[in-house]
Amino acid sequence: MISLVKATVGGLTGICGARGHQRGFLHSHLKIITAGMKTLEIPPDYSDVFLPPKPKLKFLNKVPNLKKAMKERKKLRDIQGPAKTANAFTTGQYAIVAMGGGYLHWGHLEMIRLTINRKMDSKTTFARWRINAPYKPITCKGLGQRMGGGKGAIDHYVTPVRYGRLIIEVGGKVELREIEHVLIEVAKKLPFPSKVMSRESLAALQKTQADMEQNNQNPWTFKQIAQGNMLGIRRVLSPFDLHNHGRFTGKFHLPGRV
Amino acid sequence: MAAATLCGNLLPKPGWLPLIQSVRHGSKAVTRHRKPLHILKQKLLAVTQYVPPPRGPPPGAYPSQRQALKESEFVLLLKKDLIKVFQDYKMIAVVQNSSSSAEDMMILKHRLHKHGISVKFFPNQVMRSFLSDSVYSNMTPLLIGPTVLFVSKEPKVKEMLSTLRASPQMTLLGACIDNTLLSTQGIVNYSKLPSVSVMQGELVSGLTMMTSRTASMLQHHPAHLSALLQQYIKQQSPDDATRAAPEGETT
């Protein structure tokens, strides 16, 4: 029995060995070729991504290092309107973008820092602050005090944030889907509405706004009426509305306004 | 509006009243809540809303023009192979294999390889798109179902048919032999044809039949030739006599 098998195998190998190319022919034809037309996604190329030596978010002080701490006025206009600084990406790919104005105090910053440092993979991703440590002093009078008697003492410090400012920038050898859930967790806990955006989505947002301004079919625009003071509307509008063309009220951003 | 009562404004000089006094201080410009807007501002915002451009037809409304789909590189590679196949091989037969195992396939390939026929696999989609562009567009109806190509440089049809008869799963659909499309019946007839040399011999012999006959007759003994010629004369003269008699009767 075994000798028969050996003879047949020997015979087959003899046939194979007779012509060199036939060996490969038989081997390759043991299974029917059924290659499909599936095109696979090319994985992203991270060869030009630079990972800094300290990838985690650094600790931000509760109180700025001042010799003499001065009390400041409320100056709520640092919340009003769109952000002029830190509203574009620098080193990272994904960011948390503020969709409204507000103040971030040390508790928020600690929450952000701890969450991201804990949940981020420091070997492949890095994160950067795009806001300063709290510098604006907020005074508090204390319980049960009557009006008057001067301004209260400095209670804590905050960082003002305007609409469109980047809070955190994340980058490295990651795709959005990997880091999105971490950033959304943080974004939900901020005192103002915020969104997780990538470079492309931020550019798309700006583009949609520009397109809306371009193809608006309404012959009347807020900008035109406010600048021309038509019907004396400046009586109920502030100079702030003039600058921002009715897209903001106080610290809120009105979406869909052009 | 003119105020009935004064609020706690600082009066720089005693007895000096500011020209415009607001009764209600209310909240500042930036509040935690959404401040109620002045009715005129509300109206202004309502009037200056964004009006989008008119929408085009929905995506499925009109039949879209078929855009040429960008073919992947694998498909292009297969098409290059196909071009080579059609150039190099004279006989390309399309066979349908319904559930033949790998072992059967191997045995079949081995048998065909002995006669110089190779087996090629190409996806039907790729073949159809290739054939529609090339000269062989009439081969497209053959490519239905799980098809396999048998290609060979020499059109060895008889051997192929005998091998296919051995395996019951393979069904011959058609073939393109020497740039002519043949059905199964046509292939069978083609196999029954004699070879080219035989046909050439027959043609040559048919053309040179008369001359060869004369040559052979002259080579024989002249008595044979003279006997034949006498017979011919006898045949001719009775013909003349029979022809003269009816002419005489009529006149």
Side-chain angles (χ1 to χ4, degrees), chain A residues 55-59 110-122 127 129 182 186:
Chain A
K56 297 204 173 181
L57 288 171
K58 68 178 181 192
F59 174 77
E110 277 299 283
M111 177 273 294
I112 296 169
R113 187 178 71 85
L114 290 171
T115 316
I116 290 188
N117 285 350
R118 192 173 49 237
K119 307 225 165 168
M120 164 181 102
D121 183 11
S122 49
W129 289 110
V182 174
V186 166

PDB file of all heavy atoms in Angstrom, chain A residues 55-59 110-122 127 129 182 186:
ATOM      1  N   PRO A  55       4.973  64.462  24.945  1.00  0.00           N
ATOM      2  CA  PRO A  55       3.718  64.478  24.205  1.00  0.00           C
ATOM      3  C   PRO A  55       2.496  64.879  25.026  1.00  0.00           C
ATOM      4  O   PRO A  55       1.487  65.268  24.469  1.00  0.00           O
ATOM      5  CB  PRO A  55       3.591  63.032  23.721  1.00  0.00           C
ATOM      6  CG  PRO A  55       4.346  62.234  24.715  1.00  0.00           C
ATOM      7  CD  PRO A  55       5.411  63.096  25.274  1.00  0.00           C
ATOM      8  N   LYS A  56       2.605  64.770  26.359  1.00  0.00           N
ATOM      9  CA  LYS A  56       1.400  64.996  27.168  1.00  0.00           C
ATOM     10  C   LYS A  56       1.197  66.489  27.430  1.00  0.00           C
ATOM     11  O   LYS A  56       2.114  67.303  27.278  1.00  0.00           O
ATOM     12  CB  LYS A  56       1.518  64.240  28.489  1.00  0.00           C
ATOM     13  CG  LYS A  56       1.600  62.752  28.282  1.00  0.00           C
ATOM     14  CD  LYS A  56       1.150  61.972  29.496  1.00  0.00           C
ATOM     15  CE  LYS A  56       1.106  60.497  29.162  1.00  0.00           C
ATOM     16  NZ  LYS A  56       0.667  59.687  30.289  1.00  0.00           N
ATOM     17  N   LEU A  57      -0.025  66.808  27.897  1.00  0.00           N
ATOM     18  CA  LEU A  57      -0.351  68.200  28.208  1.00  0.00           C
ATOM     19  C   LEU A  57       0.378  68.612  29.493  1.00  0.00           C
ATOM     20  O   LEU A  57       0.400  67.875  30.466  1.00  0.00           O
ATOM     21  CB  LEU A  57      -1.860  68.345  28.427  1.00  0.00           C
ATOM     22  CG  LEU A  57      -2.725  68.234  27.186  1.00  0.00           C
ATOM     23  CD1 LEU A  57      -4.179  68.163  27.582  1.00  0.00           C
ATOM     24  CD2 LEU A  57      -2.502  69.407  26.267  1.00  0.00           C
ATOM     25  N   LYS A  58       0.944  69.796  29.440  1.00  0.00           N
ATOM     26  CA  LYS A  58       1.711  70.218  30.626  1.00  0.00           C
ATOM     27  C   LYS A  58       0.755  70.781  31.681  1.00  0.00           C
ATOM     28  O   LYS A  58      -0.383  71.175  31.384  1.00  0.00           O
ATOM     29  CB  LYS A  58       2.756  71.249  30.238  1.00  0.00           C
ATOM     30  CG  LYS A  58       2.210  72.577  29.790  1.00  0.00           C
ATOM     31  CD  LYS A  58       3.331  73.544  29.482  1.00  0.00           C
ATOM     32  CE  LYS A  58       2.757  74.875  29.068  1.00  0.00           C
ATOM     33  NZ  LYS A  58       3.738  75.766  28.488  1.00  0.00           N
ATOM     34  N   PHE A  59       1.258  70.863  32.883  1.00  0.00           N
ATOM     35  CA  PHE A  59       0.457  71.349  33.998  1.00  0.00           C
ATOM     36  C   PHE A  59       0.360  72.866  33.922  1.00  0.00           C
ATOM     37  O   PHE A  59       1.369  73.553  33.713  1.00  0.00           O
ATOM     38  CB  PHE A  59       1.126  70.914  35.315  1.00  0.00           C
ATOM     39  CG  PHE A  59       0.468  71.470  36.516  1.00  0.00           C
ATOM     40  CD1 PHE A  59      -0.719  70.937  36.985  1.00  0.00           C
ATOM     41  CD2 PHE A  59       1.025  72.549  37.191  1.00  0.00           C
ATOM     42  CE1 PHE A  59      -1.330  71.450  38.105  1.00  0.00           C
ATOM     43  CE2 PHE A  59       0.429  73.073  38.310  1.00  0.00           C
ATOM     44  CZ  PHE A  59      -0.762  72.518  38.770  1.00  0.00           C
ATOM     45  N   GLU A 110      -7.761  71.276  34.632  1.00  0.00           N
ATOM     46  CA  GLU A 110      -7.281  70.020  35.217  1.00  0.00           C
ATOM     47  C   GLU A 110      -8.035  68.829  34.662  1.00  0.00           C
ATOM     48  O   GLU A 110      -7.433  67.785  34.375  1.00  0.00           O
ATOM     49  CB  GLU A 110      -7.450  70.069  36.750  1.00  0.00           C
ATOM     50  CG  GLU A 110      -6.315  70.773  37.459  1.00  0.00           C
ATOM     51  CD  GLU A 110      -4.983  70.093  37.225  1.00  0.00           C
ATOM     52  OE1 GLU A 110      -4.730  69.046  37.844  1.00  0.00           O
ATOM     53  OE2 GLU A 110      -4.197  70.602  36.413  1.00  0.00           O
ATOM     54  N   MET A 111      -9.315  69.001  34.497  1.00  0.00           N
ATOM     55  CA  MET A 111     -10.140  67.923  33.938  1.00  0.00           C
ATOM     56  C   MET A 111      -9.638  67.563  32.541  1.00  0.00           C
ATOM     57  O   MET A 111      -9.419  66.388  32.213  1.00  0.00           O
ATOM     58  CB  MET A 111     -11.608  68.390  33.875  1.00  0.00           C
ATOM     59  CG  MET A 111     -12.574  67.424  33.266  1.00  0.00           C
ATOM     60  SD  MET A 111     -12.741  67.497  31.491  1.00  0.00           S
ATOM     61  CE  MET A 111     -13.471  69.090  31.246  1.00  0.00           C
ATOM     62  N   ILE A 112      -9.423  68.578  31.735  1.00  0.00           N
ATOM     63  CA  ILE A 112      -8.941  68.345  30.366  1.00  0.00           C
ATOM     64  C   ILE A 112      -7.603  67.631  30.409  1.00  0.00           C
ATOM     65  O   ILE A 112      -7.390  66.607  29.739  1.00  0.00           O
ATOM     66  CB  ILE A 112      -8.794  69.681  29.607  1.00  0.00           C
ATOM     67  CG1 ILE A 112     -10.134  70.379  29.437  1.00  0.00           C
ATOM     68  CG2 ILE A 112      -8.145  69.470  28.262  1.00  0.00           C
ATOM     69  CD1 ILE A 112     -10.021  71.794  28.938  1.00  0.00           C
ATOM     70  N   ARG A 113      -6.709  68.166  31.227  1.00  0.00           N
ATOM     71  CA  ARG A 113      -5.342  67.618  31.265  1.00  0.00           C
ATOM     72  C   ARG A 113      -5.354  66.160  31.702  1.00  0.00           C
ATOM     73  O   ARG A 113      -4.746  65.295  31.068  1.00  0.00           O
ATOM     74  CB  ARG A 113      -4.502  68.465  32.226  1.00  0.00           C
ATOM     75  CG  ARG A 113      -3.038  68.127  32.251  1.00  0.00           C
ATOM     76  CD  ARG A 113      -2.318  69.063  33.184  1.00  0.00           C
ATOM     77  NE  ARG A 113      -2.653  68.797  34.579  1.00  0.00           N
ATOM     78  CZ  ARG A 113      -2.049  67.881  35.342  1.00  0.00           C
ATOM     79  NH1 ARG A 113      -1.085  67.146  34.845  1.00  0.00           N
ATOM     80  NH2 ARG A 113      -2.417  67.699  36.587  1.00  0.00           N
ATOM     81  N   LEU A 114      -6.080  65.871  32.773  1.00  0.00           N
ATOM     82  CA  LEU A 114      -6.059  64.505  33.305  1.00  0.00           C
ATOM     83  C   LEU A 114      -6.728  63.531  32.339  1.00  0.00           C
ATOM     84  O   LEU A 114      -6.215  62.435  32.094  1.00  0.00           O
ATOM     85  CB  LEU A 114      -6.755  64.471  34.665  1.00  0.00           C
ATOM     86  CG  LEU A 114      -5.993  65.165  35.806  1.00  0.00           C
ATOM     87  CD1 LEU A 114      -6.857  65.250  37.033  1.00  0.00           C
ATOM     88  CD2 LEU A 114      -4.705  64.455  36.117  1.00  0.00           C
ATOM     89  N   THR A 115      -7.859  63.945  31.783  1.00  0.00           N
ATOM     90  CA  THR A 115      -8.570  63.036  30.871  1.00  0.00           C
ATOM     91  C   THR A 115      -7.698  62.704  29.672  1.00  0.00           C
ATOM     92  O   THR A 115      -7.537  61.539  29.301  1.00  0.00           O
ATOM     93  CB  THR A 115      -9.875  63.682  30.373  1.00  0.00           C
ATOM     94  OG1 THR A 115     -10.538  64.304  31.458  1.00  0.00           O
ATOM     95  CG2 THR A 115     -10.777  62.678  29.734  1.00  0.00           C
ATOM     96  N   ILE A 116      -7.152  63.746  29.075  1.00  0.00           N
ATOM     97  CA  ILE A 116      -6.402  63.491  27.841  1.00  0.00           C
ATOM     98  C   ILE A 116      -5.112  62.752  28.136  1.00  0.00           C
ATOM     99  O   ILE A 116      -4.757  61.813  27.416  1.00  0.00           O
ATOM    100  CB  ILE A 116      -6.188  64.811  27.080  1.00  0.00           C
ATOM    101  CG1 ILE A 116      -7.533  65.250  26.536  1.00  0.00           C
ATOM    102  CG2 ILE A 116      -5.152  64.675  25.985  1.00  0.00           C
ATOM    103  CD1 ILE A 116      -7.532  66.392  25.618  1.00  0.00           C
ATOM    104  N   ASN A 117      -4.418  63.119  29.217  1.00  0.00           N
ATOM    105  CA  ASN A 117      -3.157  62.423  29.521  1.00  0.00           C
ATOM    106  C   ASN A 117      -3.401  60.955  29.829  1.00  0.00           C
ATOM    107  O   ASN A 117      -2.592  60.092  29.512  1.00  0.00           O
ATOM    108  CB  ASN A 117      -2.444  63.103  30.686  1.00  0.00           C
ATOM    109  CG  ASN A 117      -1.786  64.403  30.254  1.00  0.00           C
ATOM    110  OD1 ASN A 117      -1.717  64.688  29.066  1.00  0.00           O
ATOM    111  ND2 ASN A 117      -1.312  65.186  31.195  1.00  0.00           N
ATOM    112  N   ARG A 118      -4.536  60.690  30.441  1.00  0.00           N
ATOM    113  CA  ARG A 118      -4.825  59.301  30.813  1.00  0.00           C
ATOM    114  C   ARG A 118      -5.213  58.477  29.595  1.00  0.00           C
ATOM    115  O   ARG A 118      -4.799  57.344  29.431  1.00  0.00           O
ATOM    116  CB  ARG A 118      -5.971  59.306  31.833  1.00  0.00           C
ATOM    117  CG  ARG A 118      -6.175  57.965  32.506  1.00  0.00           C
ATOM    118  CD  ARG A 118      -7.183  58.030  33.612  1.00  0.00           C
ATOM    119  NE  ARG A 118      -8.396  58.679  33.237  1.00  0.00           N
ATOM    120  CZ  ARG A 118      -8.901  59.746  33.859  1.00  0.00           C
ATOM    121  NH1 ARG A 118      -8.296  60.274  34.900  1.00  0.00           N
ATOM    122  NH2 ARG A 118     -10.025  60.298  33.458  1.00  0.00           N
ATOM    123  N   LYS A 119      -6.031  59.079  28.714  1.00  0.00           N
ATOM    124  CA  LYS A 119      -6.624  58.296  27.641  1.00  0.00           C
ATOM    125  C   LYS A 119      -5.805  58.305  26.357  1.00  0.00           C
ATOM    126  O   LYS A 119      -6.104  57.588  25.423  1.00  0.00           O
ATOM    127  CB  LYS A 119      -8.023  58.832  27.317  1.00  0.00           C
ATOM    128  CG  LYS A 119      -8.903  58.915  28.536  1.00  0.00           C
ATOM    129  CD  LYS A 119     -10.279  58.391  28.292  1.00  0.00           C
ATOM    130  CE  LYS A 119     -10.966  58.166  29.626  1.00  0.00           C
ATOM    131  NZ  LYS A 119     -12.375  57.917  29.500  1.00  0.00           N
ATOM    132  N   MET A 120      -4.786  59.125  26.302  1.00  0.00           N
ATOM    133  CA  MET A 120      -4.034  59.245  25.064  1.00  0.00           C
ATOM    134  C   MET A 120      -2.878  58.261  25.087  1.00  0.00           C
ATOM    135  O   MET A 120      -2.344  57.973  26.158  1.00  0.00           O
ATOM    136  CB  MET A 120      -3.528  60.691  25.017  1.00  0.00           C
ATOM    137  CG  MET A 120      -2.469  61.017  24.091  1.00  0.00           C
ATOM    138  SD  MET A 120      -2.063  62.743  24.276  1.00  0.00           S
ATOM    139  CE  MET A 120      -0.610  62.586  25.221  1.00  0.00           C
ATOM    140  N   ASP A 121      -2.491  57.760  23.901  1.00  0.00           N
ATOM    141  CA  ASP A 121      -1.328  56.879  23.804  1.00  0.00           C
ATOM    142  C   ASP A 121      -0.116  57.757  23.528  1.00  0.00           C
ATOM    143  O   ASP A 121       0.024  58.299  22.432  1.00  0.00           O
ATOM    144  CB  ASP A 121      -1.545  55.879  22.656  1.00  0.00           C
ATOM    145  CG  ASP A 121      -0.400  54.894  22.543  1.00  0.00           C
ATOM    146  OD1 ASP A 121       0.444  54.853  23.463  1.00  0.00           O
ATOM    147  OD2 ASP A 121      -0.356  54.170  21.547  1.00  0.00           O
ATOM    148  N   SER A 122       0.752  57.913  24.558  1.00  0.00           N
ATOM    149  CA  SER A 122       1.835  58.878  24.413  1.00  0.00           C
ATOM    150  C   SER A 122       2.894  58.459  23.409  1.00  0.00           C
ATOM    151  O   SER A 122       3.736  59.260  23.034  1.00  0.00           O
ATOM    152  CB  SER A 122       2.481  59.139  25.777  1.00  0.00           C
ATOM    153  OG  SER A 122       2.760  57.917  26.400  1.00  0.00           O
ATOM    154  N   ALA A 127      -0.334  66.070  22.471  1.00  0.00           N
ATOM    155  CA  ALA A 127      -1.381  67.083  22.649  1.00  0.00           C
ATOM    156  C   ALA A 127      -0.737  68.377  23.082  1.00  0.00           C
ATOM    157  O   ALA A 127       0.289  68.378  23.769  1.00  0.00           O
ATOM    158  CB  ALA A 127      -2.391  66.621  23.690  1.00  0.00           C
ATOM    159  N   TRP A 129      -1.669  72.533  24.466  1.00  0.00           N
ATOM    160  CA  TRP A 129      -2.642  73.559  24.875  1.00  0.00           C
ATOM    161  C   TRP A 129      -2.665  74.670  23.835  1.00  0.00           C
ATOM    162  O   TRP A 129      -1.626  75.053  23.305  1.00  0.00           O
ATOM    163  CB  TRP A 129      -2.212  74.204  26.198  1.00  0.00           C
ATOM    164  CG  TRP A 129      -2.339  73.343  27.405  1.00  0.00           C
ATOM    165  CD1 TRP A 129      -1.329  72.810  28.131  1.00  0.00           C
ATOM    166  CD2 TRP A 129      -3.557  72.962  28.060  1.00  0.00           C
ATOM    167  NE1 TRP A 129      -1.823  72.110  29.191  1.00  0.00           N
ATOM    168  CE2 TRP A 129      -3.194  72.188  29.169  1.00  0.00           C
ATOM    169  CE3 TRP A 129      -4.906  73.198  27.819  1.00  0.00           C
ATOM    170  CZ2 TRP A 129      -4.135  71.643  30.030  1.00  0.00           C
ATOM    171  CZ3 TRP A 129      -5.834  72.644  28.670  1.00  0.00           C
ATOM    172  CH2 TRP A 129      -5.446  71.882  29.763  1.00  0.00           C
ATOM    173  N   VAL A 182     -12.274  60.412  22.850  1.00  0.00           N
ATOM    174  CA  VAL A 182     -11.616  61.049  24.003  1.00  0.00           C
ATOM    175  C   VAL A 182     -11.914  62.538  24.006  1.00  0.00           C
ATOM    176  O   VAL A 182     -12.289  63.137  25.032  1.00  0.00           O
ATOM    177  CB  VAL A 182     -10.090  60.809  23.920  1.00  0.00           C
ATOM    178  CG1 VAL A 182      -9.382  61.571  25.003  1.00  0.00           C
ATOM    179  CG2 VAL A 182      -9.779  59.341  24.009  1.00  0.00           C
ATOM    180  N   VAL A 186     -14.218  65.274  26.619  1.00  0.00           N
ATOM    181  CA  VAL A 186     -13.749  66.547  27.173  1.00  0.00           C
ATOM    182  C   VAL A 186     -14.647  67.681  26.709  1.00  0.00           C
ATOM    183  O   VAL A 186     -15.043  68.549  27.495  1.00  0.00           O
ATOM    184  CB  VAL A 186     -12.281  66.788  26.741  1.00  0.00           C
ATOM    185  CG1 VAL A 186     -11.871  68.208  27.004  1.00  0.00           C
ATOM    186  CG2 VAL A 186     -11.360  65.827  27.459  1.00  0.00           C
TER     187      VAL A 186
END
